[in-house]
Amino acid sequence: MKPDPDRTGFDEILRRVRTAVANPALAADRRLAGETRLAGETEFLGNALVARWQQEFRALSGHAYGPLTPAAAVGQARDLLVARGAHEVLAWDDEALPVPNLSQALAAVGIKTIHPQVNTDHAALDHVAVGITGASAGLADTGSIIVTSGAGRARSAALVPPVYLAFLPVRSIYPDLPTWMAQEGARLLPGTANLVIITGPSRTADIELTLIIGVHGPGEIHVILIDETAADDPIG
């Protein structure tokens, strides 16, 4: 039987990518068949699943915090923004976030929250340095997050400001994209206006293969993990 020339080329491309990223675990994941990935979910259950996501996300130069209670997550976001000297943020509506009263907590320290709408002039928001959203899912094998937009969940909050902060419930971390699609994604997609899979800060090497961060989107990403089963503490 003659080798499939197209398949041989495809395998060679994957081999080069795996060698370039120098991530044996990532290469191992890609060798699993789709049904095996589902069965292999048990390898990443609970804390191991969260730890794997954190490992991959930090390898992408992402900043991860938690897991924290929802109220503590608000406090973490507030402290982070105060430390950066932020005065305004672009954010989803409070009701769309998996944390309580974010706008109120930020207003208490002098930070204005802007909730973009369909008719918002985004050119007038160029000065806003930080965007805040929730995340529908995390993918442990790549350290990615999935952000879905719709009413009250403007996609510009995740794409326009140079610094991006997302709240990700740990119950929404899946081993990989096929598992998420099988368990949640297929149900979610029909009601979603836009879906973005974010894997680390925006980066490109289109010009002379020189890597540049933050050209087509945020150059700095922070994700606060939330444990919704833990008891909330009052915001300190």
Side-chain angles (χ1 to χ4, degrees):
M1 180 179 177
K2 291 185 178 180
D4 182 343
D6 292 336
R7 183 64 196 179
T8 301
F10 179 73
D11 290 342
E12 176 59 17
I13 291 172
L14 289 182
R15 186 192 67 76
R16 293 182 182 182
V17 171
R18 289 162 181 155
T19 301
V21 299
N23 187 336
L26 181 64
D29 287 348
R30 292 297 181 269
R31 284 196 296 269
L32 298 176
E35 58 272 20
T36 306
R37 288 196 194 101
L38 292 175
E41 181 185 355
T42 54
E43 299 175 11
F44 303 114
L45 286 179
N47 293 336
L49 187 63
V50 175
R52 174 64 183 277
W53 180 88
Q54 291 172 318
Q55 175 187 342
E56 298 296 337
F57 179 69
R58 286 170 175 150
L60 297 163
S61 303
H63 304 273
Y65 310 86
L68 303 172
T69 66
V74 171
Q76 176 69 60
R78 176 202 59 203
D79 293 346
L80 178 63
L81 296 170
V82 169
R84 297 188 63 89
H87 299 290
E88 292 181 313
V89 297
L90 206 62
W92 282 4
D93 292 358
D94 280 4
E95 296 76 15
L97 294 171
V99 293
N101 306 319
L102 177 66
S103 296
Q104 180 181 348
L106 297 185
V109 291
I111 299 175
K112 178 183 178 182
T113 303
I114 301 170
H115 303 294
Q117 306 298 320
V118 173
N119 58 355
T120 296
D121 179 8
H122 289 89
L125 300 177
D126 281 350
H127 65 284
V128 180
V130 183
I132 301 175
T133 79
S136 297
L139 305 178
D141 66 336
T142 59
S144 307
I145 60 173
I146 296 176
V147 180
T148 55
S149 61
R153 296 176 285 122
R155 64 177 177 174
S156 57
L159 301 176
V160 175
V163 179
Y164 173 48
L165 187 155
F167 295 102
L168 172 63
V170 292
R171 62 174 172 75
S172 298
I173 297 179
Y174 295 82
D176 51 30
L177 184 60
T179 304
W180 177 73
M181 283 297 296
Q183 297 185 4
E184 180 67 16
R187 180 193 65 80
L188 191 65
L189 289 181
T192 299
N194 179 267
L195 182 150
V196 180
I197 299 176
I198 299 173
T199 305
S202 169
R203 60 189 72 204
T204 181
D206 288 348
I207 301 176
E208 297 183 348
L209 299 179
T210 300
L211 181 63
I212 302 175
I213 304 295
V215 174
H216 303 300
E220 185 178 321
I221 297 184
H222 301 257
V223 173
I224 301 177
L225 297 172
I226 301 168
D227 182 357
E228 296 169 305
T229 65
D232 280 344
D233 295 324
I235 298 174

